[in-house]
Amino acid sequence: MPQKEPADMTDHGDDELSSRTGSPDEEGRVPEERSLLHQSLAVRELIDTEVSYLHVLQLCASDIRSHLQQLPQGDLDVLFSNIDDIIKVNSKLLHDLQETAAREEEQVQLIGNLFLEFQEELEQVYKVYCASYEQALLLVEAYRMEPRLQREIQDTIEAVLPQAGSSGLSFLLVIPLQRITKYPLLLQKILENTLPDASAYPVLQRATSALQDVVTNINEYKRRKEVASKYTKVEHLSLRERLARINMHTLSKKTTRLGQLLKQEAGLIPKTEDKEFDDLEESFHWVSLCVTELKNNVAAYLDNLEAFLRFRPQEYDLDIPGGPVVQYCYLARDLQLQAFPEFKQRLEALVWQPLCSLAKALAGPQNLIKKRLDKLLDFERVEEKLLEVGSMTYEEEAARHMYEALNSLLVAELPQFKQLAMRWLGQILCTFVTLQRDLAKQVLQRAEGSLAQLPHHHISDPAFRKLVEDALGQTSHQLHAFQENFEKVLPPPTTQPLLPGAEHQVQALLSRYGPGKLYQVTSNISGSGTLDLTLPRGHVVALLQDKDTKGNSSRWLVDTGGHRGYVPAGKLELYHVVPREEELRGQARPHRDSQRQTPEPTLASVPSVLAVTQVVAVYPFVARSSHEVSLQAGQQVTVLEAQDKKGNPEWSLVEVNGQRGYVPSSFLARAPGPALWGWSLPS
């Protein structure tokens, strides 16, 4: 092994030096030669152990990692972390170290300069590995709970690296940590065997100090990462779980923080100002807000797209045999079944899911910023006590260090995270625009064949726009005219059912005031004033005056048949008097031209109208629009449709004297043929 050479060389050099005798000059050179010899051995140890270390790393990266494919890829990424980057940096370092051997007189100074040059690279790669080391150890512990998997891993490692022994993965994982902490010791050993007046001495001093700083910075970075991993977890706890975590210690901390915050807001104590962090927090807040807004907009876009895909006009029968409509149906069906669903699928995979992942990634830093505010309150309280008392407890010192770690971590990494989030957000937006462009191109390509068969495909774009504007204008006028005609048509009369036992009251009001003065209550009325009435829905009243004594037309004076008072005009509608069945029978009874008795006609309800085409009008009806026709009692009517266009059976489409229109179905009744029953019109 290479490690044995330094020991052999040391023993041999000591024996050689101890056997020497000579003049005082030779005796003065003995310590110097001894130092140079030990210096040379220390340099050899540095280079030889670097060769051995790099060999182990390469075995881990190639043979061992490739033979552990039974583990998930995520586990392999944690276990071996950035080992490839470490191999790359240490390979360059070893190459340069070996080249220093060609310049033996300047080798020590070159080694010092070399480590100063590699200081930053070593810190960058090793701090990433050290930060993931704790998580890798958790995986190792998890594997030990599965004996079969643990045995497979152990066999693989022992076959490639026998010196790992029973430690297995633990032995491999700790090697990079041991190496980075050993660099300052190796340089210190070279420095101790270098004469203070040598030109390489100050360079070696700076290199040793630099590598010690690297180890310190890595430890600090590892501690910050542990703090970050502790507070970036966003837990969704129920109220019961939150209450279970409350104890006297947490209550004391929260009460102290609240008191500190209240004193700051009241101006009793100064508030710590950190403009650098405030600017970082504000810029990060805007990035987070942009991500949230974009996520909401994309969600609404997907909902609208889903609603658009549910609407399929091409599947409806438009009663148009051919022409452009057929081409449109073919094109719309093609887009509906292929182009748009494919676009929706790509949009969800390439825009929506990355956007959700980005929003989830922002939750960790947001939680750290909130925790920093709590730790800042603790830090300010400790600083205030330190000024007053001059000392602090171990717990207070830990709280002070916790804030400093959180603050330095956010100040160092929040700009990088914001820049990465902005780049991620920009890529999502570019992807969204690209998908829209691809959809438009795909629709145009699919529409080319259909457009060539349309009657206006040869028209230029300006002429086609003019044609469309004219057609839309004409259609707009037609719709406006139809709207005006539609608004002129009054709704069919509605009658609320009478209250039980109210027929006598209605007849009394009808005989006293006439049908034009009768109104029916459409909803329950609760009187609040002295002269206000309380009436139930369906009650019939007679109008006495359409305003109150102050001229307010929204309150009408009515007569209920026993009481008089005011009711809201908006809760009254004109009551349509329906003749009683006896009166209808009397009107429908034919005059007797002889002493011979004739049977009475059979009156039918609305459903009976549906089964016949020839009926008679029981009541007179006056048309109110061009869609209706007028009737006279006893007039023969031909029913064309026993309902209106909306399927409402209360109106029937009839033909009377060559005119067609709608009449109330309740005004019609079925009657037997005149030859059989001797039906005659009333005089």
Side-chain angles (χ1 to χ4, degrees), residues 18 40 121 196 228 295 368 429 473 511 530-531 559 565 587 628-629:
S18 61
S40 176
E121 289 186 73
K295 183 180 176 183
L368 276 181
L429 288 173
S511 61
T530 306
L531 299 179
D559 183 7
Q587 294 177 5
E628 301 174 351
V629 294

Side-chain angles (χ1 to χ4, degrees), residues 173-348:
L173 295 178
V174 78
I175 288 177
L177 275 70
Q178 293 175 338
R179 186 60 183 174
I180 191 63
T181 55
K182 195 171 183 181
Y183 283 133
L185 301 178
L186 293 172
L187 291 175
Q188 181 66 31
K189 191 172 183 179
I190 298 174
L191 179 64
E192 290 174 355
N193 292 282
T194 302
L195 297 177
D197 57 348
S199 60
Y201 193 86
V203 176
L204 283 173
Q205 273 188 322
R206 292 199 303 271
T208 304
S209 177
L211 267 295
Q212 289 173 348
D213 291 341
V214 167
V215 174
T216 303
N217 294 339
I218 290 175
N219 288 331
E220 181 64 20
Y221 181 81
K222 184 172 177 290
R223 189 170 71 89
R224 293 176 186 175
K225 283 297 182 181
E226 291 173 354
V227 171
S229 62
K230 176 182 178 180
Y231 291 115
T232 50
K233 297 178 182 178
V234 181
E235 297 180 313
H236 301 283
L237 302 177
S238 63
L239 179 60
R240 177 177 296 181
E241 292 171 336
R242 292 180 183 275
L243 292 176
R245 291 190 175 188
I246 296 178
N247 51 41
M248 293 303 297
H249 179 67
T250 57
L251 285 176
S252 175
K253 284 200 305 183
K254 292 182 182 298
T255 304
T256 304
R257 290 170 182 170
L258 180 60
Q260 188 79 8
L261 186 61
L262 291 176
K263 287 190 290 184
Q264 288 180 356
E265 295 297 330
L268 300 178
I269 58 176
K271 185 178 181 180
T272 303
E273 297 291 340
D274 191 344
K275 189 175 185 307
E276 179 184 7
F277 179 80
D278 292 341
D279 293 341
L280 287 176
E281 181 184 5
E282 183 179 2
S283 60
F284 180 79
H285 170 73
W286 282 111
V287 174
S288 177
L289 184 62
C290 290
V291 172
T292 302
E293 289 296 325
L294 181 59
K295 183 180 176 183
N296 295 336
N297 291 336
V298 172
Y301 185 89
L302 285 172
D303 291 340
N304 293 333
L305 183 60
E306 184 69 28
F308 171 74
L309 291 176
R310 287 196 299 266
F311 180 67
R312 300 182 178 183
Q314 71 275 5
E315 297 181 357
Y316 292 88
D317 186 9
L318 302 177
D319 296 331
I320 301 177
V325 175
V326 177
Q327 299 299 327
Y328 165 76
C329 290
Y330 287 150
L331 176 61
R333 188 177 296 108
D334 185 24
L335 296 177
Q336 200 84 14
L337 297 179
Q338 294 186 16
F340 291 128
E342 181 182 350
F343 169 73
K344 180 176 179 292
Q345 184 178 4
R346 296 181 66 195
L347 187 67
E348 289 176 343

